[in-house]
């Protein structure tokens, strides 16, 4: 099974820009990694949709996801650009759909539009978003996915739900990629998220690099696809891979091989010090990716 690869750019969320004092230089460090990926053989670059650093909120840079997505779309020419994943609670789904359509055009069809239910409670409350427990967030997420899909595929979409409603919003242009911008859903919830993936998504992100979890969740996804008569093979099945400083080529290859054996066909790699040291990124591209392409 051939695989595709993406890479997270250093955005600040994991304190990965803290050693650079000037915010302009921080942004340029992020852009430089994006341009290296654009030179190949990476399929995509990714950002997180967060406002505060993780695992602890600190007074450090975290660049906003959709602003970054739009600018990187113009700083690159080849790679796809996505969010892993957009937080549904931070934007009304109708606005999300409109923003994604615009960026899909700006990138000439290179957007991977990611969406998830969200989870970083501290961040929600700090920015004034109403926090709710899992059942309510998942219910809102289910409605949001339907609204986004309708706004990308219908001229006069109407939706009336418990959490959201739309009444014939005009969304022109709807994007460049056909039949609509590439839609990726994040999360492994077996009853809601994975069913939504089978119904609406072009890509899924689950398992956080753990082969056993990946295998378990993909089995559930396949069951949903079978029930809905959806072609399982047409869905990109991605997972995140957190690499460590000092990982050898053999270490990286072994981790990817385990992920492939679990059934994933897409790896999104995170290199914690890539803003300061490009060598692991370049070595992964030169020595690991060709083994799985």
């Amino acid at each position: 099974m051939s695989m595709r690869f993406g890479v997270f750019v250093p955005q600040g969320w994991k304190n990965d820009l803290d050693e650079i004092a000037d915010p302009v230089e921080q942004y340029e460090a992020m852009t430089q990694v994006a341009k290296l990926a654009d030179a190949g053989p990476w399929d995509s670059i990714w950002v997180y949709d967060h406002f505060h650093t993780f695992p602890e909120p600190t007074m450090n840079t975290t660049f906003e996801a959709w602003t970054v997505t739009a600018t990187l779309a113009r700083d690159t020419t080849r790679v796809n650009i996505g969010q892993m994943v957009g937080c549904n609670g931070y934007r009304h789904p109708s606005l999300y759909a409109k923003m994604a359509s615009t960026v899909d055009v700006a990138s000439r069809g290179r957007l991977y539009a990611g969406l998830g239910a969200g989870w970083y409670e501290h961040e929600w409350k700090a920015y004034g978003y109403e926090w709710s427990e899992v059942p309510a967030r998942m219910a809102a997420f289910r409605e949001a996915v339907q609204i986004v899909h309708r706004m990308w595929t219908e001229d006069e979409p109407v939706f009336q739900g418990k959490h959201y409603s739309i009444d014939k919003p005009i969304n022109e242009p709807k994007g460049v990629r056909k039949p609509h911008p590439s839609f990726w859903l994040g999360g492994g919830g077996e009853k809601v998220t994975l069913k939504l993936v089978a119904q609406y998504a072009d890509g899924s992100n689950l398992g956080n690099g753990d082969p056993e979890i990946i295998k378990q969740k993909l089995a559930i996804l396949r069951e949903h696809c079978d029930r809905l008569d959806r072609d399982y093979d047409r869905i990109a099945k991605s997972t995140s891979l957190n690499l460590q400083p000092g990982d050898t080529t053999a270490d990286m290859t072994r981790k990817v091989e385990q992920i492939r054996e679990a059934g994933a066909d897409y790896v999104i790699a995170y290199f914690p010090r890539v803003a300061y040291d490009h060598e692991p990124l370049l070595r992964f591209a030169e020595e690991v990716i060709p083994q799985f392409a």
Side-chain angles (χ1 to χ4, degrees):
M1 176 178 64
S2 63
M3 303 184 73
R4 290 180 293 163
F5 293 84
V7 60
F8 285 101
V9 297
Q11 184 187 355
W13 183 56
K14 292 188 176 183
N15 295 285
D16 47 18
L17 292 171
D18 293 358
E19 296 174 33
I20 304 172
D22 183 353
V24 173
E25 292 304 315
Q26 291 176 332
Y27 209 97
E28 291 305 313
M30 177 179 60
T31 297
Q32 188 174 8
V33 172
K35 289 182 176 180
L36 285 174
D38 197 40
W42 302 91
D43 175 72
S44 57
I45 54 176
W46 297 84
V47 299
Y48 300 103
D49 189 14
H50 288 290
F51 306 138
H52 290 174
T53 57
F54 177 82
E56 296 294 333
T58 61
M59 200 64 66
N60 289 299
T61 293
T62 303
F63 289 118
E64 194 278 323
W66 273 100
T67 313
V68 167
T69 304
T71 57
L72 292 179
R74 305 300 288 182
D75 286 336
T76 58
T77 61
R78 185 193 61 82
V79 287
N80 296 288
I81 308 107
Q83 314 82 30
M84 195 48 67
V85 283
C87 177
N88 180 55
Y90 296 162
R91 304 160 194 88
H92 193 286
S94 60
L95 175 61
Y96 172 96
K98 182 66 174 177
M99 292 167 63
S101 296
T102 299
V103 174
D104 197 51
V105 173
S107 65
R108 300 186 181 185
R110 292 184 288 126
L111 177 67
Y112 286 166
L115 190 63
W119 57 271
Y120 200 176
E121 179 178 355
H122 176 278
E123 195 173 65
W124 287 57
K125 292 179 177 178
Y127 268 75
Y129 294 108
E130 183 177 354
W131 176 254
S132 57
E133 296 306 315
V134 171
R137 275 185 284 128
M138 295 309 300
F141 177 56
R142 181 190 291 113
E143 292 184 8
V145 170
Q146 295 175 69
I147 288 173
V148 171
H149 189 264
R150 291 187 186 191
M151 288 193 59
W152 286 346
T153 58
E154 301 176 14
D155 288 337
E156 296 184 335
V158 174
F159 184 90
Q160 182 66 50
K162 179 180 179 181
H163 299 274
Y164 303 114
S165 63
I166 55 172
D167 185 16
K168 301 180 181 180
I170 297 171
N171 183 31
E172 292 297 334
K174 293 181 174 62
V176 172
R177 197 188 298 257
K178 302 300 180 185
H180 52 70
S182 186
F183 200 18
W184 294 55
L185 301 182
E190 298 178 2
K191 295 182 179 179
V192 178
T193 302
L194 294 181
K195 184 177 181 180
L196 290 171
V197 170
Q199 289 176 299
Y200 298 105
D202 301 290
S204 175
N205 184 264
L206 45 78
N208 198 31
D210 186 314
E212 290 304 314
I213 296 176
I214 294 167
K215 187 183 300 183
Q216 172 192 341
K217 299 300 183 180
L218 290 182
I220 300 298
L221 176 59
R222 186 182 289 275
E223 291 176 3
H224 284 306
C225 287
D226 290 344
R227 281 193 291 267
L228 295 166
D229 196 27
R230 174 77 190 278
D231 186 351
Y232 173 82
D233 292 332
R234 293 184 64 85
I235 300 171
K237 293 162 281 291
S238 78
T239 194
S240 301
L241 175 59
N242 294 312
L243 298 164
Q244 301 301 322
D247 275 351
T248 65
T249 298
D251 293 330
M252 296 176 181
T253 301
R254 174 179 48 80
K255 292 175 181 180
V256 176
E257 181 61 40
Q258 291 172 344
I259 287 170
R260 180 170 68 174
E261 290 177 355
D265 58 14
Y266 204 111
V267 170
I268 306 175
Y270 175 77
F271 299 89
R273 294 191 56 78
V274 73
Y276 322 110
D277 180 9
H278 298 154
E279 190 275 334
L281 170 77
L282 296 173
R283 178 159 46 90
F284 191 99
E286 293 172 0
E287 301 180 8
V288 179
I289 291 179
Q291 299 183 56
F292 298 93

